[in-house]
């Protein structure tokens, strides 16, 4: 079935949200990169200019998730991620804005710098209660790995008389205190927003390309496109997960979000486009191609992208254009999902890769 934007909007409005971001986030045309790559026309949607903390895709999801925490009278929110997690920073900032205390379980690897930098510094400034835990390099920690310790922290806080909301990583997969895929709900709304913006430019988008990590940004955009009956492809560049298991996760979130809006849509295998060709040495591990993509975007357009997510997605886009994967007459929308504070802790690697000949 297909649904009108108005109908979808109405169904989304059944989920309450706290106003945190400034919408719509702007869309710009990347004329110089498009010309230099001699490929399709590239547009960029600046989710990094969302207006919360230093911006990013997690603020949109947190409008719903923080509201869910407020609705359950929670005064403490707990979540987890890497030391440079954008999700953790955005959660801490959204929580503070709503008078909720953030507790962050941050996973560090053997080579995480001791220095307080990037998002870690910003978490500190937000006075988040930071708990550090050791983890393996190059891999995202899953719910099952931290379940025990999250419950332990939660029990300590409960004993002190607080009400706790545990938010799943990235606000993606249902679990802990989040019973519905609220992150994906937010990105169905984002799809309607960008569809309207592109219509006013008289452009059909052939493909939306984005960095995909916990999956609900991609799942929400995909659900949005399918609900509208649009042919726009949603291409996720995985930054950590291998293709097959990640495709299943995105499918689960997409199906669940459509269900919770009371809609019916069939997702086929072809709908869920995931590439795991650009992960390189693993989650959060920078390489030369990514450093060059960061530099190209800055030098051509005056826009900074990040080393963990958007840099990998841009490196993928450049590579796919060079391989002739897109129609030259087509339009591509690159989703800038944020993450720029992480440039600073990667200073050594960036300098090294960009000075090599
Ligand atoms: C979390 C994140 C993503 C991925 O979004 P998911 O919904 O987790 O897949 C992409 N880019 C940045 C900068 C992020 O922080």
């Amino acid at each position: 079935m297909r649904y009108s934007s108005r109908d979808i909007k109405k169904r989304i409005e059944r989920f309450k949200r706290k106003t945190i971001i400034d919408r719509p986030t702007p869309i710009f045309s990347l004329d110089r990169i498009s010309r230099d790559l001699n490929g399709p026309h590239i547009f960029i949607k600046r989710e990094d200019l969302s207006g919360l903390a230093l911006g990013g895709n997690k603020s949109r999801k947190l409008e719903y998730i923080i509201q869910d925490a407020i609705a359950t009278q929670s005064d403490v929110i707990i979540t987890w991620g890497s030391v440079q997690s954008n999700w953790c920073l955005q959660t801490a900032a959204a929580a503070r804005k709503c008078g909720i205390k953030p507790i962050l379980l941050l996973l560090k690897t053997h080579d995480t710098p001791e220095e307080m930098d990037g998002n870690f510094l910003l978490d500190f400034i937000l006075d988040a209660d930071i708990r550090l835990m050791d983890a393996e390099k190059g891999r995202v920690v899953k719910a099952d790995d931290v379940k025990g310790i999250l419950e332990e922290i939660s029990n300590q806080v409960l004993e002190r008389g607080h009400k706790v909301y545990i938010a799943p990583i990235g606000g993606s997969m249902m679990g802990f205190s989040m019973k519905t895929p609220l992150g994906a709900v937010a990105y169905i709304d984002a799809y309607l927003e960008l569809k309207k913006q592109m219509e006013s430019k008289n452009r059909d988008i052939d493909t939306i390309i984005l960095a995909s990590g916990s999956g609900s940004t991609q799942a929400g955009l995909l659900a949005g496109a399918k609900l509208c009956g649009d042919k726009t492809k949603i291409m996720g560049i995985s930054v950590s997960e291998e293709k097959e298991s990640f495709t299943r996760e995105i499918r689960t979130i997409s199906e669940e979000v459509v269900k919770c809006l009371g809609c019916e849509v069939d997702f086929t295998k072809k709908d869920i486009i995931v590439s795991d060709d650009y992960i390189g040495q693993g989650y959060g591990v920078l390489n030369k191609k990514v450093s060059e993509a960061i530099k190209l975007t800055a030098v051509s357009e005056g826009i900074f992208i990040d080393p963990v997510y958007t840099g990998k997605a841009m490196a993928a886009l450049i590579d796919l254009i060079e391989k002739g994967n897109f129609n030259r007459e087509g339009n591509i929308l690159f989703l800038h999902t944020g993450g720029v504070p992480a440039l600073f802790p990667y200073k050594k690697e960036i300098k090294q890769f960009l000075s090599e000949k």
Side-chain angles (χ1 to χ4, degrees):
M1 273 192 61
R2 59 191 291 175
Y3 302 81
S4 69
S5 294
R6 219 174 122 213
D7 183 8
I8 301 166
K9 259 222 130 60
K10 269 212 189 120
R11 291 167 189 266
I12 291 174
E13 279 165 10
R14 288 189 217 139
F15 294 87
K16 287 223 185 78
R17 65 175 171 84
K18 193 92 191 148
T19 302
I20 290 178
I21 73 166
D22 188 17
R23 53 167 55 90
T25 58
I27 293 183
F28 297 100
S29 168
L30 299 183
D31 295 337
R32 292 174 63 92
I33 291 192
S34 305
R35 194 192 58 209
D36 292 350
L37 295 175
N38 196 19
H41 200 101
I42 307 166
F43 292 87
I44 189 167
K45 183 162 172 71
R46 301 287 306 269
E47 295 288 273
D48 61 315
L49 300 180
S50 62
L52 177 73
L54 295 184
N57 63 334
K58 304 308 180 318
S59 1
R60 220 183 252 280
K61 306 183 189 185
L62 281 157
E63 288 197 318
Y64 293 89
I65 296 165
I66 282 294
Q67 176 58 44
D68 198 29
I70 293 170
T72 53
Q73 271 100 43
S74 305
D75 58 350
V76 173
I77 188 164
I78 308 179
T79 195
W80 76 96
S82 66
V83 167
Q84 285 304 328
S85 166
N86 304 306
W87 159 250
C88 287
L89 169 69
Q90 292 268 310
T91 303
R96 284 303 187 197
K97 188 174 162 63
C98 299
I100 294 173
K101 198 180 154 211
I103 302 182
L104 305 177
L105 176 62
L106 300 181
L107 290 310
K108 66 179 179 65
T109 59
H110 65 93
D111 57 352
T112 303
E114 296 282 317
E115 197 187 354
M116 222 172 231
D117 203 350
N119 285 317
F120 191 37
L121 171 66
L122 304 177
D123 294 338
F124 175 77
I125 295 173
L126 281 163
D127 196 20
D129 179 346
I130 297 169
R131 318 283 176 102
L132 289 168
M133 188 179 146
D134 289 311
E136 204 183 307
K137 185 175 164 118
R139 187 178 153 257
V140 171
V141 171
K142 293 276 185 178
D144 283 342
D145 304 324
V146 289
K147 200 162 191 278
I149 184 143
L150 287 174
E151 276 162 9
E152 215 173 280
I153 298 171
S154 171
N155 286 336
Q156 289 165 9
V157 180
L158 286 170
E159 273 170 26
R160 279 187 245 129
H162 295 283
K163 186 116 202 272
V164 179
Y165 189 96
I166 304 181
I169 190 165
S172 285
M173 193 55 88
M174 302 67 71
F176 297 105
S177 309
M178 193 183 84
K179 306 300 178 207
T180 45
L182 295 173
V185 170
Y187 268 89
I188 295 181
D189 192 48
Y191 181 81
L192 298 177
E193 178 180 304
L194 68 87
K195 179 179 162 78
K196 196 166 154 201
Q197 285 172 297
M198 293 308 287
E199 276 168 2
S200 74
K201 294 182 195 294
N202 280 318
R203 298 268 196 163
D204 282 329
I205 322 164
D206 302 287
T207 303
I208 299 174
I209 184 164
L210 72 149
S212 214
S214 63
S216 63
T217 305
Q218 184 173 354
L221 293 173
L222 174 63
K226 291 286 285 186
L227 286 164
C228 293
D230 292 344
K231 296 235 161 358
T232 307
K233 293 193 179 94
I234 315 294
M235 179 181 260
I237 305 302
S238 172
V239 298
S240 57
E241 290 276 306
E242 71 55 52
K243 181 176 164 143
E244 211 167 304
S245 62
F246 197 34
T247 301
R248 275 199 302 274
E249 275 182 42
I250 291 169
R251 185 175 190 141
T252 304
I253 301 170
S254 307
E255 288 172 347
E256 286 294 323
V257 73
V258 162
K259 216 193 299 170
C260 80
L261 293 186
C263 296
E264 267 174 55
V265 166
D266 282 329
F267 293 95
T268 66
K269 227 177 155 173
K270 249 179 52 208
D271 291 328
I272 300 157
I273 308 171
V274 172
S275 165
D276 59 5
D277 293 339
Y278 301 93
I279 299 173
Q281 299 295 99
Y283 177 75
V285 186
L286 189 59
N287 61 46
K288 192 170 172 71
K289 286 266 187 242
V290 174
S291 308
E292 285 169 348
I294 293 171
K295 182 173 174 181
L296 176 73
T297 311
V299 170
S300 311
E301 304 286 349
I303 295 173
F304 292 110
I305 56 174
D306 86 285
V308 182
Y309 293 92
T310 48
K312 281 189 177 164
M314 186 57 84
L317 177 58
I318 294 167
D319 187 56
L320 292 169
I321 290 175
E322 285 172 353
K323 287 182 176 148
N325 261 269
F326 299 106
N327 181 349
R328 276 200 55 195
E329 311 306 315
N331 297 302
I332 305 265
L333 183 74
F334 181 88
L335 198 72
H336 191 332
T337 41
V340 175
L343 279 174
F344 301 97
Y346 281 84
K347 53 176 88 68
K348 264 199 200 133
E349 291 91 332
I350 293 171
K351 183 164 177 230
Q352 188 195 329
F353 286 124
L354 294 182
S355 326
E356 276 173 10
K357 284 287 163 266

